Structure formats: C-alpha cells, structure tokens
Amino acid sequence: MTPRSLYRLVAFAEVVTWTLLITGLVLRATTGWALGVTIGGGIHGFVFLAYAATALLVGIDRRWHPGAVFLAVAAAVIPYATIVAEVVLDRRGMLAGDWRRKPDAAGDRTPLDGLVRWFVDRPVLLIAVAAVALVGIFAALLLAGPPGGR
C-alpha cells in the first residue's frame, strides 16, 4: 500500500463516518432516537483519530510542510472535506511515490524522518503501535466525556 492509497482509503472512511454521524443526528432530531448519534459519533471519533494519524504519518513521509499536515487534519472537521483535501494533495503530487524506506539524497531532516522510515519497514509493528495509541487516546476521550458535556 502506497502513501496515496492509504491516505485515500482513510479519507474515504472519514467521509463514510461523517455520513453515519449526520444520519444519527437527523434520526435523533426527527424520531428522538439518540443511540444513532452514540454509535455514529463513536465510530466517527475513532476514524477521525485514525485519519489524523494517517495524515501525520503520510505528511512526515512525504515531507509536507507542517501547515499542509495541519490543513489535512483540519479537513476532517468539515463534513466530507477529506475528499477535497485528498484530491488537492494528489493533484499537487504530495501523495505521489512509494514509502521512503531509506534516506534519500537529502537525508533525514528530522528524527521523525528516521522513526517513520523505521516503522514503515515494519508495517505489522506500525499497525500494532498505531492501534494501541488510537485505542488509548479514544478511551481517554471517552472518559473525558462527549463534546459539549452531558
């Protein structure tokens, strides 16, 4: 899987979860069924975190400017904007190429470059560490409570 295909997959997943959340909100407003928001919101929250992690991983690997990483993550806050972000990044060539598995002519610019390369060479470990981190962050956010309080 290339950086482009991973980013595209998670950006699409973010769109699907926005649809689930919005459907849940409409059902709650029209029928009073609040469980739809709980389910859609939980799924959306987890996929949002996965999208943010993916944007960070791809942004470091592709050597995006920090502002581009911020804008990619911020796109997840606006419903369906991750698809727009993916199209713009792809058209600008910012998703092109395979994962950097070795230092290129420019070398590692930051310690994060080397760390990302190390993890990219160990995809099973990368997925395991990312999953544990995402579950931990998600659990902490659940303990903190829903946005806007109860």
Side-chain angles (χ1 to χ4, degrees), residues 50-76:
Y51 172 81
T54 300
L56 181 62
L57 177 72
V58 171
I60 292 169
D61 183 79
R62 302 286 81 207
R63 293 189 170 154
W64 296 350
H65 185 276
V69 174
F70 175 80
L71 289 174
V73 173

Side-chain angles (χ1 to χ4, degrees), residues 2-147:
T2 65
R4 180 179 184 254
S5 61
L6 176 63
Y7 188 88
R8 178 172 278 177
L9 175 71
V10 181
F12 180 74
E14 176 68 4
V15 165
V16 170
T17 65
W18 262 117
T19 303
L20 290 173
L21 178 57
I22 291 168
T23 301
L25 289 166
V26 169
L27 286 172
R28 183 179 68 186
T30 58
T31 68
W33 190 60
L35 188 59
V37 175
T38 302
I39 294 168
I43 294 169
H44 173 69
F46 189 82
V47 173
F48 171 84
L49 293 173
Y51 172 81
T54 300
L56 181 62
L57 177 72
V58 171
I60 292 169
D61 183 79
R62 302 286 81 207
R63 293 189 170 154
W64 296 350
H65 185 276
V69 174
F70 175 80
L71 289 174
V73 173
V77 176
I78 302 166
Y80 308 112
T82 57
I83 295 299
V84 175
E86 186 273 327
V87 168
V88 169
L89 291 167
D90 193 36
R91 285 186 181 165
R92 291 184 178 179
M94 296 172 72
L95 298 172
D98 204 358
W99 295 102
R100 285 185 310 107
R101 297 181 186 273
K102 296 184 176 169
D104 56 16
D108 290 336
R109 296 180 185 167
T110 69
L112 283 177
D113 285 338
L115 183 63
V116 167
R117 277 190 308 94
W118 187 85
F119 270 116
V120 165
D121 268 344
R122 295 156 183 84
V124 173
L125 182 61
L126 172 60
I127 291 167
V129 168
V132 168
L134 289 175
V135 167
I137 292 168
F138 189 71
L141 290 172
L142 283 176
L143 289 172

